[in-house]
Amino acid sequence: MSEATSASMTVYSDYVCPFCYLGRESLSRYQADRDEPLRIDWRPFDLRAGKRTADGEIDHSVDNGKDDAYFEQAKESVRRLQEEYDVEMTLALATEVDSLDAQVASAYVSQEYPYETWLAFDEAIFAALWQEGRDIGSEDVLVDLATNVGIDDDTITAALDDEAHRETVTDAFTAAQQAGVTGVPTFVADGHAARGAVPPAQLRRLVEGAE
């Protein structure tokens, strides 16, 4: 199967979602077992939408109904999946990190660079946050990650300063909501979806039932 005709899976995700990181590990395991390549058609999603103000900033004082018990349960679920997928993580949650700039930068790279370059950048963002505990909301961090995968630092700075690129990402957030996506990760193939860091076998059924 040539790259032009490679199968693809749509993946809605947000870099600050630990289950998105763990879900990508599951997807990587499925991809490794395939005979033919499977490309990721990434779609951004904003987990902080309920706290985001009109100027794009996050108001952490907004009550989103998630209490300490919710976060403890989430941490336990992360720990369980870490063990299941044998994944090292410095953080269990990243409630104070804003991924908007990371998603703007990633969307720009996905549009302007080859797929392999975007994938390397995407994986670097995930690793920077969840393996190294770096603030992916920092422009300096994003520029450093981009440079490490062969992207000129000036292009990332320019993309982050370009309101058109920001609008593209916020429009994608809206499109995700209109598509009925309410949580991430959400994996979609041929109109069928699976939500959460589901096992590789479930992703196989999702994709290969559509092929």
Side-chain angles (χ1 to χ4, degrees):
M1 184 181 295
S2 68
E3 180 175 292
T5 59
S6 293
S8 66
M9 170 184 277
T10 299
V11 181
Y12 292 88
S13 66
D14 187 338
Y15 291 113
V16 294
C17 169
F19 301 104
C20 292
Y21 177 63
L22 291 158
R24 283 290 294 276
E25 173 62 25
S26 176
L27 178 56
S28 294
R29 294 183 180 202
Y30 165 52
Q31 288 172 304
D33 286 341
R34 283 177 59 89
D35 294 329
E36 303 292 348
L38 178 72
R39 291 166 64 100
I40 296 170
D41 178 17
W42 170 68
R43 307 291 177 87
F45 186 88
D46 189 14
L47 281 176
R48 309 285 193 252
K51 291 191 171 188
R52 198 172 298 284
T53 61
D55 63 2
E57 299 298 320
I58 293 177
D59 182 355
H60 291 286
S61 68
V62 173
D63 183 5
N64 60 1
K66 297 177 180 179
D67 57 14
D68 290 344
Y70 170 88
F71 289 116
E72 281 304 316
Q73 183 177 11
K75 288 179 183 178
E76 181 56 37
S77 295
V78 168
R79 286 190 286 266
R80 176 180 57 79
L81 288 166
Q82 276 185 263
E83 293 180 2
E84 181 176 343
Y85 296 143
D86 191 24
V87 174
E88 293 292 333
M89 294 174 67
T90 299
L91 303 175
L93 300 177
T95 56
E96 300 301 314
V97 179
D98 186 2
S99 65
L100 180 58
D101 279 3
Q103 300 208 67
V104 171
S106 187
Y108 169 79
V109 172
S110 72
Q111 294 167 3
E112 302 296 330
Y113 286 81
Y115 171 77
E116 291 76 14
T117 302
W118 167 78
L119 183 61
F121 185 51
D122 168 80
E123 291 175 345
I125 294 172
F126 270 121
L129 176 59
W130 296 109
Q131 292 181 16
E132 303 167 19
R134 301 174 72 184
D135 180 6
I136 61 167
S138 163
E139 180 177 325
D140 289 343
V141 170
L142 294 172
V143 167
D144 181 54
L145 297 176
T147 302
N148 288 340
V149 298
I151 301 168
D152 185 77
D153 54 359
D154 291 341
T155 63
I156 295 299
T157 299
L160 294 176
D161 289 339
D162 191 331
E163 284 303 316
H165 291 306
R166 291 187 176 275
E167 289 178 9
T168 296
V169 171
T170 54
D171 287 347
F173 292 159
T174 301
Q177 292 176 334
Q178 292 174 343
V181 177
T182 58
V184 287
T186 295
F187 303 93
V188 181
D190 195 32
H192 299 282
R195 178 174 156 186
V198 297
Q202 187 170 342
L203 296 177
R204 177 183 295 278
R205 290 193 297 271
L206 181 67
V207 174
E208 297 181 13
E211 288 182 335

